[in-house]
Amino acid sequence: KSYTANWTANSYSISYAGLEGASCTTKPTSATFDSSFTVSNPTKTGHTFSGWDVTGMDSVTHTYGSQTTTGSNISKTKATSFNNLRAASGTVTFTANWDVDNHTLTADANGGTVSATSGWTIAGDSKSATKSFAYNTAYSFPTVTRTGYTLTGWNTKADGNGTAVTTSTKMGTSDATVYAQWSKDTYNITYNLNDSSGSTRAVHNSPKTSYQVDTDTFSLVTPTRTGYTFNGWNITGMDSGVTHYYGS
């Protein structure tokens, strides 16, 4: 009489963690001893997969990719083929690890000048600056100035016809460029005719009362006053750092 042994390979469960917001096309939930299986590397917007941590294995020889181990865990493997992670029933857990992607934001002063700002690398001509931001991190901006203009915001197009961006805007999945937006400053002109004493008052017809940085050269209207000769204007209130022109 002969006896033939019959065997059934043990099976074990497979669970997954760290896949929130990710896509993983092949992820079986169970495996059988002595039968290999495949787990695909997952993908996630704005992140780079850095490997699986595999835990819950027992003491047999485990195969992952072209490597083997008898340990109870594997760290950050990108192998896709696995075999014999357990000899007995139980659960093996695959936990995905991720690195957040970083991208470069270029801030173009768009006619202005970039001043030293922490974290920003300024171009040699001081017309733009760059900074690295992690995916989904809110923007910040460098300090920019432009003579005769006030900064009104930032936009994805130099002419302002793109999308406005603010400190609530977050870094996407690729490098980006934003452009400073400017409004012209208006400067007011007031006149003191200095005629409070004496019996006559000065006449000053249609004087210019404002100008902007790109206003063409203009002439001041000369006032008249009976019995007096006009000797010129004393001008005050001009700022520094720019060139003022008067006469020749």
Side-chain angles (χ1 to χ4, degrees):
K1 205 177 244 190
S2 64
Y3 294 86
T4 302
N6 293 286
W7 302 96
T8 299
N10 292 332
S11 62
Y12 51 93
S13 299
I14 306 170
S15 65
Y16 300 87
L19 292 179
E20 298 80 2
S23 174
C24 186
T25 56
T26 304
K27 50 184 180 68
T29 57
S30 64
T32 302
F33 189 76
D34 270 342
S35 295
S36 63
F37 62 93
T38 297
V39 177
S40 59
N41 287 337
T43 59
K44 185 177 182 179
T45 299
H47 297 73
T48 298
F49 177 64
S50 58
W52 294 107
D53 287 343
V54 185
T55 57
M57 301 186 298
D58 55 16
S59 58
V60 295
T61 299
H62 320 289
T63 302
Y64 58 106
S66 60
Q67 297 179 274
T68 61
T69 182
T70 57
S72 61
N73 61 79
I74 302 169
S75 295
K76 290 192 173 182
T77 179
K78 292 185 179 181
T80 56
S81 176
F82 300 87
N83 194 14
N84 293 349
L85 298 188
R86 289 191 64 86
S89 61
T91 300
V92 174
T93 300
F94 282 69
T95 301
N97 292 283
W98 303 97
D99 293 324
V100 180
D101 295 338
N102 289 281
H103 300 286
T104 299
L105 179 65
T106 299
D108 189 311
N110 198 17
T113 301
V114 183
S115 302
T117 308
S118 177
W120 288 85
T121 300
I122 301 175
D125 60 3
S126 297
K127 301 302 182 185
S128 64
T130 57
K131 184 178 180 180
S132 179
F133 288 85
Y135 169 74
N136 210 36
T137 298
Y139 284 173
S140 65
F141 304 98
T143 299
V144 291
T145 55
R146 186 180 181 186
T147 300
Y149 292 79
T150 295
L151 180 71
T152 59
W154 296 85
N155 198 280
T156 57
K157 295 289 183 67
D159 62 6
N161 289 326
T163 302
V165 293
T166 68
T167 53
S168 296
T169 304
K170 295 182 178 180
M171 177 55 73
T173 57
S174 61
D175 295 346
T177 300
V178 295
Y179 300 86
Q181 301 298 298
W182 304 98
S183 65
K184 294 175 187 174
D185 294 334
T186 297
Y187 303 93
N188 295 319
I189 305 172
T190 59
Y191 299 88
N192 178 4
L193 296 179
N194 197 19
D195 61 352
S196 60
S197 63
S199 60
T200 60
R201 298 291 176 263
V203 176
H204 198 205
N205 293 318
S206 303
K208 190 171 187 64
T209 57
S210 66
Y211 69 96
Q212 293 178 317
V213 66
D214 58 352
T215 298
D216 290 335
T217 300
F218 59 90
S219 298
L220 295 176
V221 176
T222 300
T224 60
R225 184 182 182 191
T226 300
Y228 290 82
T229 298
F230 179 65
N231 293 324
W233 295 104
N234 292 330
I235 304 175
T236 60
M238 298 187 297
D239 56 12
S240 60
V242 295
T243 301
H244 314 288
Y245 297 92
Y246 58 103
S248 57

